[in-house]
Amino acid sequence: MTLSKALFAILAALILFLLLFVTAYLFYSHHQKSERELYLAEKIAQESHRYDLLKNTYDLITQNIYENIINTDKITSLVRAADTTYDAALLLDLRNELYGELLPVYKNLKHQNISELNFYLRGNISFLRFDAPKRFGDSLSGTRASIDKVNRTRQPVHGFESDMTFNGYKHIYPLLH
């Protein structure tokens, strides 16, 4: 065998080896990518399921609080009286009475990771924020679309929303007396 034929055979063997190596590497890389994508898809499905369970739990908790504690004659009459008065002293008395009535509930809610309990009047005016009771009387028109919608439609709204102090999942219910 001549030197050129030997070099050609070595070069052909080297090219064949490289082709086999690249093919094996690509196959392995594709397999690894597929395994990683499958793993991530399973993790996303698990987290999605956990999220749904948590969301449904909070939906039930807030619905229960609304139906059994907040949407009562006592609470709705206080809010209705506040919504129809222009007397600043009476408005302050009504706020204080509502705050006193629901403060134990609010403290309990905080232990369940529900950090906000707020009341708004017509015109989207803040009446009582349990997390900041000294802040009230400001209009949230244009800044809290969910409050606008509840006051306009008189239907509950649930969803993720950003506000001035807290981004989170909100449950907003109308109070009708």
Side-chain angles (χ1 to χ4, degrees), residues 98-145:
L98 182 62
Y99 185 76
E101 191 74 31
L102 292 176
L103 185 59
V105 173
Y106 177 67
K107 288 179 178 179
N108 190 353
L109 291 175
K110 284 178 61 175
H111 286 92
Q112 297 176 44
N113 293 319
I114 298 175
S115 59
E116 292 188 12
L117 177 61
N118 302 328
F119 289 85
Y120 305 96
L121 304 176
R122 267 185 288 188
N124 307 324
I125 303 299
S126 170
F127 179 56
L128 177 58
R129 294 177 174 103
F130 275 79
D131 60 316
K134 294 190 184 336
R135 284 184 47 223
F136 62 95
D138 53 317
S139 173
L140 284 101
S141 293
T143 60
R144 293 281 307 278

Side-chain angles (χ1 to χ4, degrees), residues 2-3 41 46 53 67 72 74 96 103 112 124 128 144 172:
T2 64
L3 186 61
Q46 288 173 357
L53 286 173
E67 289 175 359
T72 63
K74 173 77 173 170
N96 289 336
L103 185 59
Q112 297 176 44
N124 307 324
L128 177 58
R144 293 281 307 278
I172 301 121

Side-chain angles (χ1 to χ4, degrees), residues 38 40-41 51 55 83 90 92 125 136 142 146 156 159-160 165 169-170:
L38 181 62
L40 292 174
Y51 169 80
K55 180 190 161 300
D83 210 23
L90 177 58
L92 188 58
I125 303 299
F136 62 95
S146 59
F160 189 87
T165 58
Y169 203 77
K170 313 283 180 146

Side-chain angles (χ1 to χ4, degrees), residues 5-47:
K5 286 184 181 179
L7 284 175
F8 181 75
I10 291 172
L11 186 59
L14 184 61
I15 290 173
L16 181 62
F17 172 76
L18 284 175
L19 282 174
L20 290 173
F21 177 78
V22 167
T23 302
Y25 176 77
L26 290 175
F27 176 78
Y28 176 76
S29 294
H30 176 71
H31 178 71
Q32 286 295 97
K33 183 180 177 188
S34 296
E35 288 290 319
R36 189 173 334 122
E37 288 173 357
L38 181 62
Y39 171 79
L40 292 174
E42 287 174 7
K43 280 296 191 191
I44 289 170
Q46 288 173 357
E47 292 305 316

